[in-house]
Amino acid sequence: MAAEDNASRINHPFQDGRMNFTAFSRCLEYRREVAELMLEALPYLPERFTQVDIGAGNGLGTQVTKGMTEVFLRRAAVYGIDPDPYAIAQASKDTPSSERCEIAFIEGFGQDIETLVAGRIPKEGADMVSILDAVHEFPPDAQFPIIQAGARVLRPGGIFVMNSTFTSIATEENPAAWGFPAVKAALKFGGRKAKQPGLLQRPPEEYTQMLRNTGLEVIYYQVVGVTLPTSAMVAICQYPGFVEGVRKSFVFDNEPTLEQLSEELQIRYGKSRPLPRKWVRWIGQKPA
Ligand SMILES: C[S@@+](CC[C@H](N)C(=O)[O-])C[C@H]1O[C@@H](n2cnc3c(N)ncnc32)[C@H](O)[C@@H]1O
Protein backbone atom coordinates (compact mmCIF):
# COMPACT_ATOMS: atom_id res chain seq x y z
CA MET A 1 0.00 0.00 0.00
CA ALA A 2 1.35 3.46 -0.90
CA ALA A 3 2.53 5.72 1.93
CA GLU A 4 -0.15 8.31 1.14
CA ASP A 5 -2.86 5.66 1.56
CA ASN A 6 -1.43 4.73 4.97
CA ALA A 7 -1.78 8.34 6.12
CA SER A 8 -5.56 8.02 6.37
CA ARG A 9 -5.30 4.66 8.14
CA ILE A 10 -2.73 5.46 10.84
CA ASN A 11 -2.14 8.73 12.65
CA HIS A 12 1.62 8.66 13.12
CA PRO A 13 4.91 7.41 11.64
CA PHE A 14 5.97 3.80 12.20
CA GLN A 15 8.53 2.81 14.82
CA ASP A 16 12.20 2.28 14.01
CA GLY A 17 15.41 1.31 15.80
CA ARG A 18 15.69 4.75 17.41
CA MET A 19 12.10 5.63 18.14
CA ASN A 20 9.87 2.83 19.29
CA PHE A 21 7.42 1.52 21.89
CA THR A 22 9.69 -1.21 23.24
CA ALA A 23 10.88 0.56 26.40
CA PHE A 24 7.40 1.78 27.39
CA SER A 25 5.80 -1.59 26.73
CA ARG A 26 8.27 -3.06 29.25
CA CYS A 27 7.23 -0.73 32.10
CA LEU A 28 5.85 -2.68 35.01
CA GLU A 29 2.97 -0.28 35.76
CA TYR A 30 1.77 -0.39 32.16
CA ARG A 31 2.04 -4.16 31.97
CA ARG A 32 0.19 -4.53 35.26
CA GLU A 33 -2.77 -2.52 33.94
CA VAL A 34 -3.10 -4.81 30.91
CA ALA A 35 -2.59 -7.92 33.05
CA GLU A 36 -5.29 -6.84 35.53
CA LEU A 37 -7.76 -6.16 32.73
CA MET A 38 -7.10 -9.54 31.15
CA LEU A 39 -7.67 -11.19 34.52
CA GLU A 40 -11.09 -9.50 34.61
CA ALA A 41 -11.75 -11.01 31.18
CA LEU A 42 -10.62 -14.53 32.02
CA PRO A 43 -13.87 -15.75 33.69
CA TYR A 44 -15.72 -15.13 30.39
CA LEU A 45 -13.33 -17.31 28.37
CA PRO A 46 -13.51 -21.05 27.73
CA GLU A 47 -10.65 -23.43 28.61
CA ARG A 48 -9.41 -23.16 25.04
CA PHE A 49 -9.87 -19.81 23.38
CA THR A 50 -9.01 -17.75 20.33
CA GLN A 51 -8.03 -14.08 20.64
CA VAL A 52 -7.62 -11.38 18.01
CA ASP A 53 -5.54 -8.47 19.34
CA ILE A 54 -6.00 -5.34 17.19
CA GLY A 55 -3.17 -2.81 17.49
CA ALA A 56 -1.00 -5.53 19.02
CA GLY A 57 2.05 -3.27 19.01
CA ASN A 58 5.17 -4.82 20.45
CA GLY A 59 3.32 -7.85 21.78
CA LEU A 60 2.27 -6.96 25.32
CA GLY A 61 -1.33 -8.23 25.06
CA THR A 62 -0.17 -11.51 23.58
CA GLN A 63 2.50 -11.89 26.24
CA VAL A 64 -0.12 -11.44 28.94
CA THR A 65 -2.40 -14.05 27.35
CA LYS A 66 0.52 -16.44 26.97
CA GLY A 67 1.35 -15.99 30.66
CA MET A 68 -2.30 -16.58 31.62
CA THR A 69 -2.38 -19.86 29.70
CA GLU A 70 0.49 -21.09 31.89
CA VAL A 71 -0.82 -19.74 35.20
CA PHE A 72 -4.44 -20.80 34.68
CA LEU A 73 -3.79 -23.93 32.62
CA ARG A 74 -5.66 -22.68 29.54
CA ARG A 75 -4.92 -23.07 25.86
CA ALA A 76 -5.08 -20.21 23.39
CA ALA A 77 -4.48 -19.19 19.81
CA VAL A 78 -3.65 -15.48 19.52
CA TYR A 79 -3.52 -13.38 16.36
CA GLY A 80 -1.86 -10.02 16.91
CA ILE A 81 -2.60 -7.46 14.18
CA ASP A 82 -0.64 -4.25 13.68
CA PRO A 83 0.32 -2.23 10.58
CA ASP A 84 3.76 -1.35 11.96
CA PRO A 85 6.49 -3.65 10.57
CA TYR A 86 8.91 -2.79 13.38
CA ALA A 87 6.30 -3.61 16.04
CA ILE A 88 5.43 -6.89 14.36
CA ALA A 89 9.12 -7.89 14.13
CA GLN A 90 9.77 -7.01 17.78
CA ALA A 91 6.60 -8.75 18.98
CA SER A 92 7.40 -11.90 16.96
CA LYS A 93 10.96 -12.01 18.32
CA ASP A 94 9.86 -11.55 21.94
CA THR A 95 6.75 -13.73 21.85
CA PRO A 96 7.26 -17.21 20.39
CA SER A 97 4.46 -19.77 20.57
CA SER A 98 4.47 -22.16 23.50
CA GLU A 99 2.87 -25.55 23.99
CA ARG A 100 -0.23 -23.90 25.43
CA CYS A 101 -0.33 -20.75 23.34
CA GLU A 102 -0.12 -20.60 19.57
CA ILE A 103 0.86 -17.12 18.39
CA ALA A 104 0.95 -15.34 15.04
CA PHE A 105 1.60 -11.65 14.44
CA ILE A 106 0.14 -10.35 11.21
CA GLU A 107 1.04 -7.06 9.58
CA GLY A 108 -2.13 -5.18 8.70
CA PHE A 109 -4.68 -2.56 9.64
CA GLY A 110 -7.54 -2.95 12.08
CA GLN A 111 -9.78 -1.73 9.25
CA ASP A 112 -9.05 -5.03 7.41
CA ILE A 113 -9.39 -7.34 10.37
CA GLU A 114 -12.01 -9.63 8.83
CA THR A 115 -9.83 -10.41 5.80
CA LEU A 116 -6.70 -10.71 7.93
CA VAL A 117 -8.11 -13.37 10.27
CA ALA A 118 -10.33 -15.18 7.75
CA GLY A 119 -9.47 -18.88 7.67
CA ARG A 120 -7.42 -18.57 10.88
CA ILE A 121 -10.10 -18.16 13.55
CA PRO A 122 -13.02 -20.61 13.95
CA LYS A 123 -15.96 -20.10 11.55
CA GLU A 124 -18.25 -19.05 14.39
CA GLY A 125 -15.76 -16.34 15.39
CA ALA A 126 -13.10 -15.55 18.01
CA ASP A 127 -13.73 -15.88 21.76
CA MET A 128 -12.04 -12.56 22.47
CA VAL A 129 -11.14 -9.44 20.51
CA SER A 130 -8.90 -6.93 22.27
CA ILE A 131 -7.84 -3.36 21.57
CA LEU A 132 -5.32 -2.51 24.27
CA ASP A 133 -4.28 1.09 24.59
CA ALA A 134 -4.64 1.59 20.90
CA VAL A 135 -8.17 2.80 20.07
CA HIS A 136 -7.28 6.48 20.68
CA GLU A 137 -4.43 6.13 18.20
CA PHE A 138 -6.59 5.02 15.31
CA PRO A 139 -7.63 7.92 13.07
CA PRO A 140 -10.84 9.32 14.66
CA ASP A 141 -13.03 8.34 11.70
CA ALA A 142 -11.61 4.81 11.74
CA GLN A 143 -12.25 4.13 15.43
CA PHE A 144 -15.87 3.05 15.18
CA PRO A 145 -15.40 1.07 11.93
CA ILE A 146 -12.49 -0.84 13.51
CA ILE A 147 -14.48 -1.59 16.69
CA GLN A 148 -17.38 -2.66 14.49
CA ALA A 149 -15.17 -4.96 12.40
CA GLY A 150 -13.72 -6.39 15.63
CA ALA A 151 -17.20 -7.10 16.96
CA ARG A 152 -18.06 -8.87 13.67
CA VAL A 153 -15.22 -11.37 14.09
CA LEU A 154 -16.41 -12.29 17.61
CA ARG A 155 -18.49 -15.43 18.11
CA PRO A 156 -21.88 -15.06 19.84
CA GLY A 157 -21.10 -14.86 23.57
CA GLY A 158 -17.53 -13.76 22.85
CA ILE A 159 -15.97 -10.76 24.60
CA PHE A 160 -14.48 -7.48 23.45
CA VAL A 161 -11.78 -6.15 25.78
CA MET A 162 -10.58 -2.56 25.45
CA ASN A 163 -8.74 0.08 27.46
CA SER A 164 -7.46 3.59 26.88
CA THR A 165 -5.34 6.10 28.72
CA PHE A 166 -6.12 8.89 26.26
CA THR A 167 -9.67 9.84 27.13
CA SER A 168 -10.94 13.24 28.26
CA ILE A 169 -10.58 12.16 31.91
CA ALA A 170 -7.01 10.81 31.68
CA THR A 171 -5.35 13.86 33.24
CA GLU A 172 -8.36 15.75 34.61
CA GLU A 173 -6.86 15.80 38.11
CA ASN A 174 -3.37 16.95 37.11
CA PRO A 175 -3.48 18.57 33.66
CA ALA A 176 -0.68 21.04 34.40
CA ALA A 177 1.72 18.40 35.71
CA TRP A 178 1.20 16.40 32.49
CA GLY A 179 1.11 19.44 30.21
CA PHE A 180 4.04 21.59 31.36
CA PRO A 181 6.90 19.32 30.29
CA ALA A 182 5.42 19.17 26.77
CA VAL A 183 4.89 22.94 26.67
CA LYS A 184 8.49 23.53 27.76
CA ALA A 185 9.83 21.08 25.18
CA ALA A 186 7.76 22.73 22.43
CA LEU A 187 8.89 26.21 23.50
CA LYS A 188 12.45 25.30 22.56
CA PHE A 189 11.25 25.19 18.92
CA GLY A 190 9.03 28.26 19.17
CA GLY A 191 5.93 26.14 19.71
CA ARG A 192 2.57 27.66 20.64
CA LYS A 193 -0.47 25.61 21.61
CA ALA A 194 -2.55 24.63 18.57
CA LYS A 195 -6.33 25.16 18.65
CA GLN A 196 -6.94 21.41 18.99
CA PRO A 197 -4.82 18.81 20.81
CA GLY A 198 -2.92 16.52 18.43
CA LEU A 199 -4.73 13.44 19.65
CA LEU A 200 -8.49 13.38 20.06
CA GLN A 201 -9.29 12.52 23.69
CA ARG A 202 -12.90 11.44 23.64
CA PRO A 203 -15.07 11.29 26.74
CA PRO A 204 -15.17 7.62 27.82
CA GLU A 205 -18.95 7.58 27.18
CA GLU A 206 -18.30 7.97 23.46
CA TYR A 207 -16.31 4.73 23.40
CA THR A 208 -18.96 3.03 25.55
CA GLN A 209 -21.55 4.12 23.01
CA MET A 210 -19.43 2.86 20.11
CA LEU A 211 -19.28 -0.58 21.74
CA ARG A 212 -23.06 -0.51 22.27
CA ASN A 213 -23.67 0.66 18.72
CA THR A 214 -22.03 -2.51 17.40
CA GLY A 215 -24.60 -4.54 19.32
CA LEU A 216 -22.27 -5.48 22.20
CA GLU A 217 -23.53 -5.41 25.77
CA VAL A 218 -21.10 -3.54 28.02
CA ILE A 219 -20.69 -5.90 30.99
CA TYR A 220 -17.72 -4.24 32.68
CA TYR A 221 -16.59 -0.63 32.90
CA GLN A 222 -13.93 0.67 35.22
CA VAL A 223 -11.75 3.73 35.67
CA VAL A 224 -8.44 2.97 37.35
CA GLY A 225 -5.56 5.17 38.45
CA VAL A 226 -2.10 4.22 37.27
CA THR A 227 0.95 6.14 38.48
CA LEU A 228 3.66 6.16 35.87
CA PRO A 229 7.21 6.41 37.20
CA THR A 230 9.51 8.99 35.66
CA SER A 231 11.29 6.24 33.70
CA ALA A 232 7.98 5.31 32.03
CA MET A 233 7.38 8.93 31.02
CA VAL A 234 10.84 9.11 29.49
CA ALA A 235 10.13 5.82 27.70
CA ILE A 236 6.83 7.04 26.20
CA CYS A 237 8.70 10.03 24.77
CA GLN A 238 10.56 7.53 22.57
CA TYR A 239 7.32 6.37 20.93
CA PRO A 240 6.49 8.01 17.57
CA GLY A 241 2.74 7.88 18.36
CA PHE A 242 3.16 9.95 21.52
CA VAL A 243 5.70 12.39 20.08
CA GLU A 244 3.62 12.98 16.96
CA GLY A 245 0.58 13.64 19.17
CA VAL A 246 2.57 16.31 21.03
CA ARG A 247 3.95 17.76 17.78
CA LYS A 248 0.45 18.14 16.34
CA SER A 249 -0.65 19.88 19.55
CA PHE A 250 1.58 22.88 18.79
CA VAL A 251 2.22 25.31 15.97
CA PHE A 252 5.97 25.84 15.58
CA ASP A 253 8.21 28.61 14.33
CA ASN A 254 10.83 25.93 13.64
CA GLU A 255 9.07 22.59 13.42
CA PRO A 256 11.30 19.95 15.04
CA THR A 257 11.82 16.49 13.62
CA LEU A 258 10.27 13.71 15.67
CA GLU A 259 13.75 12.80 16.97
CA GLN A 260 14.50 16.38 18.04
CA LEU A 261 11.18 16.73 19.85
CA SER A 262 11.58 13.28 21.39
CA GLU A 263 14.96 14.23 22.87
CA GLU A 264 13.59 17.44 24.35
CA LEU A 265 10.51 15.67 25.74
CA GLN A 266 12.69 13.03 27.37
CA ILE A 267 14.69 15.77 29.11
CA ARG A 268 11.54 17.56 30.33
CA TYR A 269 9.56 14.50 31.46
CA GLY A 270 12.80 13.13 32.94
CA LYS A 271 12.61 15.98 35.46
CA SER A 272 9.01 15.22 36.42
CA ARG A 273 7.93 13.37 39.52
CA PRO A 274 5.90 10.16 38.99
CA LEU A 275 2.45 11.13 37.68
CA PRO A 276 -0.90 9.43 38.05
CA ARG A 277 -3.36 9.27 35.16
CA LYS A 278 -6.65 7.52 34.60
CA TRP A 279 -7.09 4.45 32.47
CA VAL A 280 -10.54 3.42 31.31
CA ARG A 281 -11.42 -0.25 30.80
CA TRP A 282 -14.33 -1.90 29.02
CA ILE A 283 -15.49 -5.45 28.46
CA GLY A 284 -18.33 -5.92 26.00
CA GLN A 285 -20.10 -9.17 25.22
CA LYS A 286 -21.71 -10.21 21.97
CA PRO A 287 -25.23 -11.49 22.64
CA ALA A 288 -25.35 -15.31 22.46
C1 LIG B 1 0.24 2.39 22.05
S1 LIG B 1 0.44 1.04 20.98
C2 LIG B 1 -0.28 -0.24 21.98
C3 LIG B 1 0.28 -1.58 21.65
C4 LIG B 1 -0.21 -2.75 22.49
N1 LIG B 1 -1.62 -3.01 22.30
C5 LIG B 1 0.11 -2.55 23.95
O1 LIG B 1 -0.83 -2.42 24.75
O2 LIG B 1 1.28 -2.55 24.31
C6 LIG B 1 -0.83 1.29 19.74
C7 LIG B 1 -0.66 0.44 18.49
O3 LIG B 1 -1.77 0.71 17.62
C8 LIG B 1 -1.29 0.53 16.31
N2 LIG B 1 -2.20 1.12 15.32
C9 LIG B 1 -2.29 2.41 14.93
N3 LIG B 1 -3.19 2.56 13.95
C10 LIG B 1 -3.69 1.31 13.70
C11 LIG B 1 -4.67 0.80 12.81
N4 LIG B 1 -5.30 1.58 11.94
N5 LIG B 1 -4.95 -0.52 12.86
C12 LIG B 1 -4.33 -1.33 13.77
N6 LIG B 1 -3.37 -0.90 14.62
C13 LIG B 1 -3.06 0.40 14.59
C14 LIG B 1 0.08 1.18 16.32
O4 LIG B 1 0.88 0.75 15.24
C15 LIG B 1 0.60 0.74 17.69
O5 LIG B 1 1.39 -0.41 17.61
Side-chain angles (χ1 to χ4, degrees):
M1 181 171 295
E4 59 271 22
D5 294 332
N6 280 350
S8 62
R9 311 189 102 213
I10 184 164
N11 252 347
H12 57 80
F14 287 146
Q15 302 177 40
D16 60 28
R18 288 175 61 201
M19 290 198 56
N20 53 62
F21 195 62
T22 307
F24 187 72
S25 80
R26 290 181 178 164
C27 290
L28 180 68
E29 291 71 11
Y30 182 58
R31 298 181 80 80
R32 186 190 293 140
E33 155 52 20
V34 173
E36 283 178 4
L37 173 56
M38 296 297 270
L39 284 178
E40 298 288 347
L42 191 65
Y44 301 99
L45 293 169
E47 290 297 313
R48 186 182 283 266
F49 61 89
T50 304
Q51 174 183 2
V52 175
D53 189 30
I54 306 178
N58 300 32
L60 171 55
T62 306
Q63 289 156 15
V64 169
T65 297
K66 183 177 172 181
M68 286 199 320
T69 60
E70 292 299 333
V71 176
F72 298 102
L73 305 177
R74 304 287 182 105
R75 292 195 179 272
V78 188
Y79 301 97
I81 312 293
D82 202 289
D84 188 323
Y86 186 92
I88 290 288
Q90 183 74 48
S92 305
K93 181 159 121 352
D94 290 347
T95 329
S97 294
S98 65
E99 200 198 316
R100 292 189 165 275
C101 191
E102 205 183 298
I103 297 166
F105 290 100
I106 303 161
E107 195 179 306
F109 287 91
Q111 289 88 330
D112 304 327
I113 196 74
E114 287 160 288
T115 321
L116 292 168
V117 299
R120 296 177 188 259
I121 62 169
K123 267 214 210 83
E124 60 276 20
D127 298 290
M128 168 163 59
V129 169
S130 50
I131 301 183
L132 301 169
D133 244 317
V135 69
H136 49 262
E137 273 192 28
F138 305 158
D141 291 348
Q143 291 169 0
F144 179 62
I146 293 177
I147 292 175
Q148 209 172 22
R152 279 198 295 266
V153 301
L154 265 184
R155 70 163 167 80
I159 57 167
F160 199 110
V161 179
M162 189 164 96
N163 70 349
S164 173
T165 184
F166 278 91
T167 68
S168 61
I169 63 168
T171 61
E172 67 182 3
E173 279 164 13
N174 51 4
W178 273 103
F180 274 151
V183 169
K184 283 190 185 152
L187 264 178
K188 177 159 182 194
F189 308 98
R192 296 170 305 282
K193 273 236 169 117
K195 283 199 185 109
Q196 303 286 341
L199 196 69
L200 176 63
Q201 295 187 229
R202 295 184 189 275
E205 300 73 41
E206 287 189 17
Y207 288 120
T208 306
Q209 200 52 50
M210 285 188 201
L211 291 169
R212 290 201 174 116
N213 288 348
T214 68
L216 295 171
E217 187 192 346
V218 177
I219 55 173
Y220 172 95
Y221 172 86
Q222 189 119 30
V223 178
V224 292
V226 178
T227 296
L228 292 181
T230 304
S231 58
M233 290 187 276
V234 172
I236 198 61
C237 296
Q238 296 160 20
Y239 177 49
F242 180 80
V243 180
E244 182 70 336
V246 174
R247 190 162 68 168
K248 285 183 184 159
S249 300
F250 293 88
V251 179
F252 292 96
D253 292 334
N254 307 303
E255 179 154 295
T257 63
L258 270 198
E259 283 81 3
Q260 286 169 330
L261 185 55
S262 163
E263 270 171 34
E264 202 56 31
L265 285 167
Q266 289 181 57
I267 293 169
R268 298 298 173 180
Y269 280 102
K271 291 179 181 158
S272 168
R273 63 179 195 282
L275 290 179
R277 60 188 291 136
K278 286 181 180 166
W279 251 256
V280 184
R281 303 169 173 173
W282 297 262
I283 300 178
Q285 188 165 38
K286 190 162 178 171

